[in-house]
Amino acid sequence: MSWLRGLSIRTRITLGTVVVALILSVVAGALLELDVESIVRDTTVRLLAADSAPFEAAIRKNPTDPQLAVGEGQLVAIIRPNRVTVLSDLPDSLRDVYRQLRSFHEAPRSVNHDGRQFLVRNERVWTPQGTWHVIAARSLEPGNLVLSQLRLTLVVGVIVLFVIFGAASWILSGAALRPVARMRRQAQLLDLQDRLGGAALPVGPARDELAALALTLNGFLARNRKLVDRERQMILDASHELRTPLAILSAQLDEVSAAVRRGKDPQILVERTRSTTRRLSLLTTNLLELSQLEAGGGAATSTWARLSLETSAAIDRARILGQSRRVLVDFDVADVTADNEYSVADSSFGRLIDNLLANAITAAPDGSTVSLELRQDESALVLTVADQGRGMPEEFMAIALDRFTRPDGARQRDSGGSGLGLAIVAAIVSAAGGSTQLINGSPGFTFCVRLPAIGVGDLRD
């Protein structure tokens, strides 16, 4: 059946419909023929009984000398008990088989003789003088002629139905698949139309399977457009963000080269160059990590116990970071018995905390405190990081999780980060199916993360 794969859907639908119609027509025609044949035979049997009835009654009334007379169109033979034929209107072709006919019982039988077919009924009439035989016959040729005409009519009808079903199926399937053709033509134009402002597949007025398919594909296209737009924007942002440090690095290398030519000590310039290189390396690392997170890479699960340990390690790293400005990092990890599982890797959760604490320490005043709280309820893990800084501008909070955004809008990189820290946090939380909340205090700022549990365990196990 591999040849069917080379046919169009419309052709396959038409062929399937025609084959089903042909099978149903043949079965219906065969059943109709059997039914008509049964009706013709039953009618012939009743006529034979009607032909025999007057003679049987006459013999029973007067067994010695019955008054017998053959009506028009009757084929009857009356045989006495002594095997003498009293009356016979049977065709000559049947008179040669009297002995065979007398052996018949009452049930009619078909007899073929000299190319002619008859239905014969032999009725035995019991009298004191002996057994009479009343033999009645009916030609089956009229019934056979009716059946032949019926077969011809059925064959012609099947052919007509075959053609009608084929044409109707071809037309209806074409009409049903016309929206698919429009969708295909529209899909061919999507690339050009996307460059002109976006497009979608046409959705018909009917709420059928094709409309549902168009809606599903439109949703798929919309998601792909968002991904493509995000990638394009990320490339543009990355190009813009990398251009400045690369230019600075190039200028610093020129300064080092000039210092060497003048015989000056380039050590200070080399340290600056290293600092720029480290900043550039961190930026590219963050971009790579963010791209992997948004692509769905690194999917893993961790338990509450493992995430608690990772939190402790992140606190130690943050305390080292805050020492230069005397920022105290305090934390509170709730003591629980349920060891639930979450859709986040230990390392990703640690990176999330590192970024939140680094932002909080940067925003916190010297000598202040940054606090972290980690707790677990029946359905989720809740992480809260709060500082005592000036908070975040309200107008900036809507885009705080976007790439390369900072609340001051400055382009300087010496005092501010690359604008990827909170974007990485948002990507980690999104991959884990969680949610974020940004809250301005008075003073201070609080960042809240909620990760849903995917499995429930018990620390006592």
Side-chain angles (χ1 to χ4, degrees):
M1 301 297 286
S2 59
W3 58 273
L4 281 175
R5 290 193 289 268
L7 301 177
S8 65
I9 294 178
R10 187 179 188 184
T11 303
R12 279 182 280 175
I13 292 175
T14 302
L15 287 177
T17 303
V18 167
V19 169
V20 172
L22 181 61
I23 294 174
L24 293 178
S25 299
V26 170
V27 172
L31 293 177
L32 178 61
E33 180 183 354
L34 291 175
D35 193 31
V36 172
E37 183 178 3
S38 176
I39 292 173
V40 170
R41 183 179 179 86
D42 291 344
T43 302
T44 305
V45 169
R46 286 196 295 270
L47 291 174
L48 284 175
D51 290 344
S52 301
F55 300 100
E56 296 170 11
I59 291 172
R60 289 190 178 92
K61 182 178 180 181
N62 187 4
T64 57
D65 187 18
Q67 301 297 315
L68 304 173
V70 179
E72 184 177 358
Q74 290 182 323
L75 301 178
V76 180
I78 309 299
I79 302 175
R80 287 180 177 273
N82 58 4
R83 299 184 179 181
V84 175
T85 301
V86 177
L87 179 66
S88 176
D89 197 25
L90 295 179
D92 294 338
S93 59
L94 289 179
R95 291 176 182 173
D96 299 334
V97 292
Y98 273 172
R99 180 176 300 176
Q100 178 184 355
L101 298 180
R102 288 197 303 270
S103 66
F104 287 178
H105 295 290
E106 183 176 353
R109 296 189 184 183
S110 297
V111 176
N112 295 310
H113 196 73
D114 290 343
R116 300 184 66 186
Q117 188 176 15
F118 296 88
L119 188 65
V120 180
R121 178 177 183 270
N122 176 24
E123 176 65 22
R124 297 177 180 181
V125 182
W126 304 95
T127 65
Q129 288 77 21
T131 302
W132 290 68
H133 292 272
V134 178
I135 300 174
R138 283 273 176 173
S139 176
L140 294 178
E141 291 179 358
N144 292 337
L145 180 61
V146 171
L147 292 175
S148 298
Q149 292 295 326
L150 176 63
R151 293 188 189 100
L152 178 61
T153 302
L154 290 176
V155 170
V156 174
V158 167
I159 294 175
V160 171
L161 287 176
F162 187 87
V163 174
I164 293 175
F165 267 93
S169 178
W170 181 262
I171 294 172
L172 293 176
S173 61
L177 294 173
R178 194 171 295 119
V180 177
R182 288 199 301 269
M183 291 170 59
R184 180 180 58 82
R185 290 192 297 268
Q186 186 70 23
Q188 293 174 339
L189 299 175
L190 283 182
D191 182 57
L192 175 61
Q193 292 180 346
D194 278 347
R195 293 196 294 269
L196 296 178
L201 296 175
V203 180
R207 292 297 176 260
D208 53 11
E209 290 82 355
L210 291 177
L213 174 62
L215 290 173
T216 301
L217 291 177
N218 284 336
F220 172 75
L221 292 172
R223 290 190 297 272
N224 276 348
R225 286 195 190 98
K226 289 181 179 178
L227 290 176
V228 171
D229 292 342
R230 183 182 299 172
E231 292 298 326
R232 289 174 180 170
Q233 188 62 42
M234 187 169 186
I235 292 173
L236 292 174
D237 293 341
S239 300
H240 181 78
E241 296 294 326
L242 290 172
R243 181 177 59 186
T244 300
L246 285 173
I248 294 173
L249 180 61
S250 178
Q252 289 174 339
L253 290 174
D254 289 340
E255 290 179 358
V256 172
S257 179
V260 171
R261 286 197 304 269
R262 297 190 190 103
K264 296 181 178 181
D265 185 6
Q267 186 61 36
I268 297 177
L269 297 176
V270 170
E271 290 300 326
R272 292 178 182 174
T273 304
R274 286 177 179 170
S275 177
T276 304
T277 303
R278 286 193 295 269
R279 192 175 193 86
L280 186 60
S281 175
L282 178 61
L283 178 59
T284 54
T285 301
N286 287 341
L287 284 172
L288 178 60
E289 182 179 358
L290 184 59
S291 177
Q292 290 174 342
L293 288 170
E294 291 181 343
T301 60
S302 299
T303 62
W304 164 264
R306 290 161 55 187
L307 295 180
S308 299
L309 292 176
E310 187 64 34
T311 302
S312 299
I315 291 294
D316 293 337
R317 294 190 294 267
R319 283 175 172 171
I320 296 174
L321 182 64
Q323 285 178 355
S324 61
R325 297 182 46 228
R326 296 179 293 108
V327 174
L328 177 64
V329 179
D330 191 14
F331 75 100
D332 179 18
V333 177
D335 187 14
V336 297
T337 58
D339 195 20
N340 295 348
E341 289 188 350
Y342 302 92
S343 296
V344 62
D346 301 358
S347 58
S348 297
F349 191 70
R351 184 61 187 274
L352 181 151
I353 296 177
D354 287 342
N355 288 354
L356 291 180
L357 289 177
N359 278 4
I361 291 172
T362 301
D366 293 350
S368 63
T369 301
V370 170
S371 60
L372 179 147
E373 180 183 0
L374 182 66
R375 58 184 176 85
Q376 178 181 248
D377 57 26
E378 294 181 355
S379 61
L381 174 149
V382 180
L383 171 68
T384 303
V385 176
D387 61 60
Q388 298 174 349
R390 294 178 298 176
M392 185 179 291
E394 293 293 336
E395 64 275 9
F396 176 76
M397 294 180 69
I399 59 171
L401 302 182
D402 293 345
R403 293 184 295 262
F404 305 113
T405 56
R406 288 171 309 282
D408 56 2
R411 304 307 299 174
Q412 298 294 330
R413 294 297 183 265
D414 295 334
S415 60
S418 63
L420 292 176
L422 292 184
I424 292 175
V425 170
I428 294 173
V429 173
S430 177
S435 60
T436 59
Q437 185 179 11
L438 287 70
I439 305 170
N440 262 328
S442 55
F445 177 78
T446 302
F447 198 108
C448 184
V449 172
R450 185 179 181 87
L451 302 181
I454 60 172
V456 179
D458 195 331
L459 287 172
R460 293 169 295 187
D461 293 343

